[in-house]
Amino acid sequence: MERLQKILAQAGIASRRKCEELILAGKVQLNGETVTELGTKADPAVDEITVNGKSVGVEKKLYILFNKPKGVITSASDDKGRKIVTDYLKGVNERVFPVGRLDYDTEGLLLLTNDGDFAYLLTHPKHHVPKTYLATVKGVPHGTLLDKLKQGVMLEDGMTAPAELDYYDIEPGEKQSTIRITIHEGRNRQVRRMFESINHPVTRLKRISFGELHLGNMKRGLYRHLDKQEVEELMRNAKKADKPRKQIKSDT
Ligand code: URA
């Protein structure tokens, strides 16, 4: 949050002194309401600021929660002509990019934004943002194998950090099972490689939570905008988390 006169000056409206005069003269609106208090603070990322009814041209920051279907590329373009995530964002005119990535065959919660600071904060490994997946695997990995994954396994790019795992569903006949797994890292194909390392390959992978956000009953291929509280909570928690934190459980 910054003082309005500072935001206006930074947006190139006028000098800070002149911007104060504009506010005092009742020429500035914040989210549609005229403000005349010089102490008023705003967040240019989420608040709509206008001078004489005209937007001050601060790019509106967008934060989108998308339920990515399987068979879609997490990228801004694809030279093989496959479907990309932004094909699904009808009605979003700003250029947004994914916060981290999901494999082509992975479905579920993917965030998109045009806010580079937000994306950096949530994907930086030192912030340990928890990500929860439902991994359907071949067979049923028994307890000691799950314990191995909980403690950390050696992959070709090093040991994995401690993870949380529990059984979510075991198919009658035990041909396959679904495990809920929460990891605090974001290495390439990490969940698939973790299960490969215990010889229970993943046949279906769905991300159901990212930080405090849950996919809930969002339909596949649809999206929604995050509200200000959700964005602030994600950023606040990412900033304070410099050691792994427990994922809030959800039955999604
Ligand atoms: N782990 C994977 O293996 N794939 C993903 O898409 C995400 C996490």
Side-chain angles (χ1 to χ4, degrees):
M1 298 284 269
E2 300 257 34
R3 282 169 182 260
L4 260 184
Q5 56 268 41
K6 186 172 175 194
I7 298 170
L8 293 174
Q10 281 174 346
I13 299 297
S15 68
R16 195 160 324 173
R17 179 90 192 83
K18 184 87 180 104
C19 290
E20 287 177 357
E21 287 172 20
L22 288 171
I23 294 170
L24 290 170
K27 308 263 190 214
V28 177
Q29 298 81 34
L30 176 60
N31 299 322
E33 304 263 338
T34 300
V35 280
T36 50
E37 287 265 336
L38 286 182
T40 308
K41 289 189 169 175
D43 181 351
V46 284
D47 291 316
E48 164 97 77
I49 303 163
T50 52
V51 177
N52 289 326
K54 274 200 185 150
S55 171
V56 297
V58 182
E59 192 190 29
K60 193 165 168 53
K61 296 279 196 286
L62 293 182
Y63 307 92
I64 290 169
L65 183 160
F66 173 52
N67 185 357
K68 175 185 145 356
K70 180 179 168 168
V72 176
I73 294 271
T74 306
S75 120
S77 63
D78 182 50
D79 49 17
K80 296 192 190 115
R82 291 172 293 187
K83 270 203 172 297
I84 56 174
V85 288
T86 46
D87 289 343
Y88 289 84
L89 306 182
K90 303 288 177 238
V92 175
N93 300 319
E94 290 81 356
R95 276 168 68 97
V96 289
F97 52 87
V99 177
R101 59 188 296 282
L102 289 178
D103 299 335
Y104 183 68
D105 281 333
T106 302
E107 55 190 296
L109 197 166
L110 180 70
L111 293 178
L112 296 120
T113 186
N114 55 357
D115 181 347
D117 294 338
F118 174 82
Y120 179 78
L121 192 66
L122 292 182
T123 51
H124 197 292
K126 81 172 184 210
H127 295 129
H128 305 287
V129 175
K131 288 154 289 256
T132 300
Y133 298 83
L134 293 182
T136 303
V137 303
K138 287 211 170 127
V140 182
H142 58 79
T144 51
L145 287 180
L146 285 200
D147 286 345
K148 223 169 132 182
L149 295 186
K150 281 183 193 169
Q151 281 150 21
V153 277
M154 182 57 89
L155 301 179
E156 61 192 16
D157 51 358
M159 282 297 278
T160 58
E164 288 126 54
L165 290 100
D166 58 8
Y167 296 107
Y168 183 80
D169 185 42
I170 298 181
E171 222 180 58
E174 306 205 344
K175 281 234 165 69
Q176 54 178 23
S177 54
T178 302
I179 316 283
R180 176 165 36 204
I181 171 168
T182 300
I183 58 173
H184 303 264
E185 307 167 280
R187 299 196 221 161
N188 191 24
R189 298 178 65 80
Q190 180 167 344
V191 173
R192 292 176 196 275
R193 290 190 293 133
M194 286 172 76
F195 282 101
E196 261 157 38
S197 79
I198 57 161
N199 293 319
H200 286 274
V202 169
T203 54
R204 182 178 172 204
L205 189 60
K206 177 178 180 184
R207 181 152 73 192
I208 55 167
S209 314
F210 188 109
E212 292 65 35
L213 292 176
H214 299 294
L215 191 59
N217 50 16
M218 170 68 59
K219 292 229 160 47
R220 206 175 284 148
L222 296 188
Y223 71 92
R224 70 172 177 87
H225 290 273
L226 300 184
D227 65 29
K228 193 171 166 176
Q229 278 75 22
E230 290 175 313
V231 173
E232 283 174 0
E233 190 184 12
L234 276 172
M235 294 184 83
R236 197 170 48 243
N237 287 332
K239 274 182 200 149
K240 70 178 180 219
D242 52 10
K243 50 179 176 333
R245 41 195 173 119
K246 280 244 178 257
Q247 172 76 51
I248 307 153
K249 282 271 155 64
S250 140
D251 287 336
T252 311

